[in-house]
Amino acid sequence: MTATDRSIELIKAAAQAAADKLAHDIIAYDVSDVLSITDAFLLASAPNDRQVKSIVDEIEERLNKELGAKPVRREGDRDARWVLLDYVDIVVHVQHSEERVFYALERLWKDCPEIDLPADAVATRGKAEEHAKTQAGEADLDGELS
């Protein structure tokens, strides 16, 4: 069994919305062969809580406006460290970069087929690592200036 056309449409729209809000490391998996509860997962991350919330809000707004889809469940909103949007056909995970590294959801789903995403979303791969190096470099400069 593979993800439905509707699921792919939702995943691609959500990925583009996340990319538009500068999410990092956007990736999607077709989990329909291993899970009966959903067809696909979208994973994205951001370096701070405010950006996580912004990405989630954009995904929710875009899917509602463009595709008439509303999540049946939204979890993790209060802390904005890991927000889950459940659309039944797809599940969107937007995580703070630290949670993304710690929980490593990609490791769990690596055997599932990746879903092709828009170019803007694919271009976000490696951005979290890039951001971490930039932050580390700025911290080193701060230490040298003190």
Side-chain angles (χ1 to χ4, degrees), residues 95-108:
Q95 298 175 297
H96 188 288
S97 298
E98 292 169 2
E99 272 70 10
R100 180 86 179 258
V101 170
F102 183 79
Y103 290 102
L105 293 179
E106 291 92 335
R107 192 179 62 228
L108 295 173

Side-chain angles (χ1 to χ4, degrees), residues 72-91:
V72 296
R73 194 171 75 222
R74 182 175 173 154
E75 294 182 8
D77 230 5
R78 189 172 53 198
D79 296 333
R81 302 286 295 179
W82 180 352
V83 180
L84 179 144
L85 294 172
D86 182 353
Y87 287 89
V88 180
D89 294 330
I90 70 166
V91 176

Side-chain angles (χ1 to χ4, degrees), residues 2 26 50 63 96 106 142 144:
T2 59
I26 301 168
R50 181 178 287 156
L63 292 186
H96 188 288
E106 291 92 335
D142 287 345
E144 290 175 11

Side-chain angles (χ1 to χ4, degrees), residues 6-132:
R6 174 69 173 169
S7 298
I8 301 295
E9 180 182 37
L10 290 167
I11 283 285
K12 289 184 177 190
Q16 185 61 56
D20 290 347
K21 286 296 182 176
L22 306 178
H24 295 168
D25 299 318
I26 301 168
I27 193 164
Y29 295 101
D30 179 339
V31 296
S32 61
D33 282 341
V34 293
L35 291 177
S36 60
I37 58 171
T38 193
D39 280 351
F41 280 164
L42 179 74
L43 309 176
S45 56
N48 61 63
D49 303 351
R50 181 178 287 156
Q51 191 174 0
V52 166
K53 196 162 180 48
S54 176
I55 292 164
V56 168
D57 289 344
E58 182 67 18
I59 290 170
E60 193 169 6
E61 184 178 320
R62 183 97 45 103
L63 292 186
N64 185 21
K65 190 183 292 182
E66 293 179 4
L67 302 171
K70 291 184 181 181
V72 296
R73 194 171 75 222
R74 182 175 173 154
E75 294 182 8
D77 230 5
R78 189 172 53 198
D79 296 333
R81 302 286 295 179
W82 180 352
V83 180
L84 179 144
L85 294 172
D86 182 353
Y87 287 89
V88 180
D89 294 330
I90 70 166
V91 176
V92 177
H93 299 268
V94 183
Q95 298 175 297
H96 188 288
S97 298
E98 292 169 2
E99 272 70 10
R100 180 86 179 258
V101 170
F102 183 79
Y103 290 102
L105 293 179
E106 291 92 335
R107 192 179 62 228
L108 295 173
W109 306 111
K110 70 179 184 227
D111 293 334
C112 295
E114 265 188 56
I115 296 172
D116 290 332
L117 297 176
D120 291 345
V122 173
T124 67
R125 308 261 172 95
K127 293 287 185 188
E129 187 176 341
E130 203 175 289
H131 179 78

